[in-house]
């Protein structure tokens, strides 16, 4: 089964596709950057169009999305909410079941503990998927980690 993992952000949304079967394989990963100098509607449209292209190209069966963390800055939280909304709507329009996991759940699934650093997550994702690293940017390895987290939920991943 192909799982799309997404680490939403308005500045750099990470995505990753894994194949979960007898073994785990990383099929694709990357990020969708936007510039803060661009109008918000243009940034959201870019996120929608590029994520739609990823879904169309890889035909995942499900989508695993990282939930919002507690933001220090209300403006940042609001912008992240916009990006998450676009991500969820894009997956829904593609008729993908959507599953959400907290950053702590994702880190625990990949690293064994919920307070791992982004670099530790990247290291473990590279090992679990057999990717000769380093995976760049870190948003992409976080997205792959979200996909791996979903795969580890036996009642949900089928």
């Amino acid at each position: 089964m192909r799982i799309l993992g997404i680490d939403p952000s308005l500045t750099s949304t990470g995505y990753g596709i894994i194949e979960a079967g007898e073994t785990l394989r990383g099929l694709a990963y990357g990020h969708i950057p936007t510039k803060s100098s661009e109008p918000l509607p243009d940034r959201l449209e870019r996120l929608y169009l590029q994520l739609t292209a990823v879904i169309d190209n890889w035909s995942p069966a499900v989508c695993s999305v990282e939930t919002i963390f507690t933001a220090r800055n209300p403006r940042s939280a609001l912008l992240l909410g916009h990006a998450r909304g676009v991500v969820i709507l894009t997956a829904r329009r593609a008729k993908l079941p959507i599953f959400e996991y907290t950053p702590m759940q994702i880190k625990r699934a990949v690293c064994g503990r919920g307070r791992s650093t982004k670099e530790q997550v990247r290291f473990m994702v590279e090992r679990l998927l057999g990717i000769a690293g380093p995976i760049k940017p870190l948003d992409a390895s976080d997205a792959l980690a979200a996909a791996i987290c979903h795969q580890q939920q036996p009642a949900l991943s089928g």
Side-chain angles (χ1 to χ4, degrees):
M1 171 176 60
R2 286 188 180 171
I3 303 170
L4 168 63
I6 302 177
D7 178 26
S9 167
L10 190 56
T11 57
S12 178
T13 291
Y15 66 87
I17 305 280
I18 66 167
E19 183 77 42
E22 293 287 318
T23 60
L24 286 178
R25 288 187 316 131
L27 300 179
Y29 61 86
H31 72 118
I32 302 167
T34 68
K35 296 178 183 172
S36 60
S37 61
E38 295 176 303
L40 179 62
D42 293 348
R43 296 171 77 186
L44 297 174
E45 181 183 37
R46 174 176 294 116
L47 178 56
Y48 169 77
L49 293 172
Q50 290 188 18
L51 189 54
T52 297
V54 169
I55 292 169
D56 289 346
N57 189 46
W58 291 99
S59 303
V62 298
C63 180
S64 175
V65 181
E66 185 174 306
T67 62
I68 294 178
F69 61 92
T70 305
R72 294 180 192 101
N73 179 327
R75 178 167 161 64
S76 296
L78 183 61
L79 292 174
L80 177 59
H82 287 311
R84 275 185 42 80
V86 168
V87 164
I88 290 169
L89 178 60
T90 304
R92 177 59 66 211
R93 298 277 303 161
K95 310 238 184 295
L96 296 178
I98 301 163
F99 298 89
E100 299 180 82
Y101 301 98
T102 66
M104 189 171 281
Q105 286 174 300
I106 293 169
K107 290 174 181 181
R108 190 176 305 125
V110 173
C111 297
R113 60 189 204 99
R115 301 231 184 258
S116 302
T117 66
K118 285 183 168 284
E119 291 77 16
Q120 289 169 325
V121 169
R122 176 175 61 192
F123 177 84
M124 288 305 298
V125 165
E126 290 166 354
R127 297 313 171 271
L128 291 168
L129 298 178
I131 296 172
I135 296 171
K136 291 185 181 178
L138 289 170
D139 304 310
S141 57
D142 286 350
L144 287 165
I148 293 168
C149 178
H150 179 73
Q151 180 273 333
Q152 292 184 4
Q153 312 303 312
L156 299 176
S157 60

